[in-house]
Amino acid sequence: EPPPPPNPSADTGVIPPIASPRADIPSPPVEGGWDVATMEAETAMKILTRTLAALASFQGDVPPTPPLSRPSTPTMSSPSNNHSRRRSVVRPATPVPSDDMKAPTFKEVEIGSPEACASEPAAGIIGHGAEPINVQQQAIARKFFSRRPPTVPLEDYAIRLQRFCPMSTAVWLAAGVYIHKLVIEEKLVPLTPRTVHRLMLASLRVGMKALEDLRYPQARFAAVGGVRESELHMLEISLCYLTNFDLQVTCDILHDKTMALQQAAVHVTMLRNRVPASFQPKLP
């Protein structure tokens, strides 16, 4: 008989040590000169966190456009009327002990309810400055908005994710590649205090699934990220559609896009130092 199909997520040694991130990791150099293959995961985490925090702080608070009036999505017919079948899990989640999340030291975190209320004033078209995006893209982009900016600082949020769901250097840098494409290249989602947490969470989750065998259970990653499982699932789908499922990266792409993200953060920091403190740039 043929051997059973391989299950890389069940191999011993796949799960990294679940512990607090190292505090002695040096800060990432802004001028470059680093190698993707030798960079520590905590250093990549610092790069992503600090650049996103700088860009979101410069952009300011931007509410999304009001919900769009569109016909409802047609419901699928029952399986008895067609010959559909249930989807099977191709890659099961990596078995991770959940004792640490049951301990009294585990504290829940909230990053706010998704989207803004319908009575909130409009902020213009999402994707200002780029080519006009269609109605479907606007509706998908709203999934990354919170009703109000989360109270947890972005750096503490990233440390929490790395503490309970350790991720590799490639995953942290790939998350920056996806966010760079949505925010800077395509201008589909503005990077603001309302969107930065959800963008980071979705990008890390998708990057992990696209690049590695390690795949934390949905319930665990959602609980650590402070969202419901259904919200995390929707964020994953939304990011995949907005990136046109272009998720594979190389070492050169990781390096170049990370440098571009760092340079954008340095640029907006220099602009902030030049303009009066009372000036808050916002989308029209």
Side-chain angles (χ1 to χ4, degrees):
E1 296 182 1
N7 184 12
S9 61
D11 293 344
T12 58
V14 172
I15 306 174
I18 298 179
S20 298
R22 292 174 53 191
D24 58 343
I25 297 297
S27 298
V30 178
E31 65 279 2
W34 45 267
D35 185 11
V36 174
T38 59
M39 177 181 289
E40 297 284 350
E42 287 81 1
T43 303
M45 178 188 69
K46 288 182 178 181
I47 290 180
L48 182 63
T49 303
R50 295 179 181 180
T51 52
L52 296 186
L55 293 171
S57 176
F58 180 79
Q59 179 65 74
D61 188 20
V62 178
T65 55
L68 303 170
S69 299
R70 57 187 184 276
S72 59
T73 304
T75 58
M76 295 182 62
S77 56
S78 60
S80 58
N81 295 335
N82 56 25
H83 298 285
S84 62
R85 56 186 181 132
R86 296 183 59 184
R87 295 179 58 187
S88 59
V89 178
V90 179
R91 282 185 54 201
T94 306
V96 181
S98 58
D99 297 340
D100 55 340
M101 298 184 63
K102 298 178 182 178
T105 55
F106 180 81
K107 299 184 182 300
E108 296 183 356
V109 66
E110 294 287 342
I111 60 172
S113 302
E115 300 190 8
C117 56
S119 60
E120 199 164 285
I125 298 177
I126 296 176
H128 174 73
E131 294 294 329
I133 59 179
N134 58 39
V135 172
Q136 185 180 24
Q137 287 178 319
Q138 292 186 39
I140 295 175
R142 286 182 55 86
K143 302 302 180 184
F144 296 99
F145 280 84
S146 297
R147 293 187 180 181
R148 59 187 61 87
T151 57
V152 55
L154 188 64
E155 184 174 357
D156 295 343
Y157 188 66
I159 293 175
R160 174 187 173 89
L161 292 173
Q162 187 67 5
R163 159 68 178 86
F164 293 100
C165 298
M167 289 162 280
S168 67
T169 301
V171 172
W172 284 100
L173 297 182
V177 172
Y178 303 153
I179 295 176
H180 183 274
K181 181 175 183 179
L182 295 184
V183 173
I184 297 179
E185 293 181 4
E186 304 292 341
K187 294 183 174 64
L188 297 176
V189 184
L191 188 63
T192 74
R194 294 196 190 206
T195 62
V196 64
H197 292 73
R198 292 178 181 273
L199 279 171
M200 174 185 283
L201 183 66
S203 300
L204 290 172
R205 183 63 170 170
V206 171
M208 182 192 312
K209 289 185 175 182
L211 302 180
E212 297 191 336
D213 293 331
L214 177 62
R215 180 169 174 253
Y216 292 102
Q218 191 86 350
R220 180 183 181 89
F221 206 81
V224 175
V227 298
R228 298 188 301 270
E229 291 185 50
S230 58
E231 290 182 43
L232 179 61
H233 182 66
M234 185 59 65
L235 289 174
E236 292 180 55
I237 296 176
S238 299
L239 188 137
C240 289
Y241 271 101
L242 291 181
T243 57
N244 199 25
F245 292 89
D246 185 14
L247 305 175
Q248 294 301 314
V249 294
T250 63
C251 288
D252 292 337
I253 293 177
L254 292 177
H255 181 273
D256 295 344
K257 297 301 181 182
T258 301
M259 287 299 302
L261 204 61
Q262 285 184 290
Q263 292 169 2
V266 171
H267 179 67
V268 299
T269 302
M270 294 175 60
L271 288 178
R272 178 173 289 278
N273 294 334
R274 294 176 185 174
V275 299
S278 58
F279 177 73
Q280 292 294 332
K282 294 184 178 180
L283 295 179

